[in-house]
Amino acid sequence: MAGNPGKLNEGPRLIATVAVMLIIFLAGSYVVAGSYVAMLPLTMKPTVWLSFTFFIMAFTASSFQILFRGTYGRWAMKNRRYIGLSFALAHFTHAVLVLSNLALTEASRTAGQLSGGGLAYVFLGLMALTSNNASVRKMGAKNWKLMHKVGSYYIWLIFVSRSINELPHNLPSGGFIVVFGLAALMFRISAWLKQRKNKS
């Protein structure tokens, strides 16, 4: 969830919009389902789709700017920090729903699933907490970038590997995540190759 320092006027509005969207969606789902437990199956997949969308936007922001240098790339780079924080908000909301489902229903997850996903949330929490200029100065730019890069790739791996493992029983959402996840990786590789070619 790296981002360019400076004034990001659209950032707070983006996070506020995501928060309002989540509140309206969860409240509506509760009303439709009639209870908290009954609404859980209605909300878990949509919240992971929303969080994955913001993750991909943050994950590919610099790649779009390197490859295309257009309006979207400039906007995404300027607001990448807040896109990442919007991802964190949506994904931690998803985590609350998943944990509620495990605690209140007969649903279960393997120890490997819990530990692998748990580590992704540890990275996400650290990345969210350090998405500020003060943390960059305290950690040093090199260490800060390394932590965010490792965390981003690990979260990408969890998204894609979980979705592959659940195919073909988790369509269309699993296929959506796999296709766009792999496309995002190709974008990053293409951007890296272009930068390397320009430096040679």
Side-chain angles (χ1 to χ4, degrees):
M1 288 185 294
N4 288 350
K7 295 181 179 180
L8 304 176
N9 296 327
E10 295 183 28
R13 289 199 298 270
L14 176 61
I15 295 174
T17 300
V18 173
V20 171
M21 288 172 56
L22 286 168
I23 291 170
I24 293 173
F25 171 67
L26 294 175
S29 298
Y30 181 87
V31 171
V32 170
S35 71
Y36 181 72
V37 173
M39 85 172 197
L40 294 174
L42 304 177
T43 56
M44 287 187 291
K45 283 187 177 180
T47 51
V48 82
W49 296 339
L50 179 63
S51 64
F52 178 73
T53 299
F54 280 114
F55 170 74
I56 290 298
M57 289 172 66
F59 192 67
T60 60
S62 61
S63 300
F64 263 98
Q65 184 64 354
I66 291 168
L67 293 172
F68 301 114
R69 294 195 175 277
T71 302
Y72 171 76
R74 290 192 298 271
W75 177 87
M77 283 298 293
K78 182 180 179 182
N79 294 282
R80 183 165 57 166
R81 178 174 295 173
Y82 290 95
I83 294 170
L85 290 172
S86 297
F87 161 56
L89 175 60
H91 210 47
F92 274 112
T93 299
H94 173 71
V96 171
L97 297 171
V98 170
L99 292 175
S100 296
N101 194 51
L102 293 175
L104 301 175
T105 73
E106 297 181 355
S108 63
R109 297 286 177 93
T110 66
Q113 289 174 324
L114 291 173
S115 59
L119 181 56
Y121 278 105
V122 169
F123 272 122
L124 180 56
L126 291 173
M127 293 162 70
L129 290 173
T130 57
S131 288
N132 53 75
N133 294 337
S135 294
V136 177
R137 291 191 296 270
K138 186 173 182 179
M139 295 176 63
K142 184 176 181 180
N143 292 331
W144 184 88
K145 288 180 180 179
L146 178 61
M147 186 190 76
H148 280 248
K149 178 176 286 189
V150 171
S152 293
Y153 275 105
Y154 183 77
I155 292 169
W156 176 90
L157 179 64
I158 290 296
F159 268 124
V160 174
S161 63
R162 289 281 174 85
S163 297
I164 289 175
N165 289 337
E166 293 173 1
L167 291 176
H169 306 292
N170 188 25
L171 293 172
S173 62
F176 165 82
I177 290 175
V178 171
V179 169
F180 281 88
L182 293 176
L185 181 62
M186 293 300 101
F187 261 87
R188 288 187 64 118
I189 292 173
S190 297
W192 177 77
L193 290 172
K194 182 176 180 180
Q195 281 190 315
R196 186 177 180 184
K197 180 179 179 180
N198 291 341
K199 289 179 181 179
S200 62

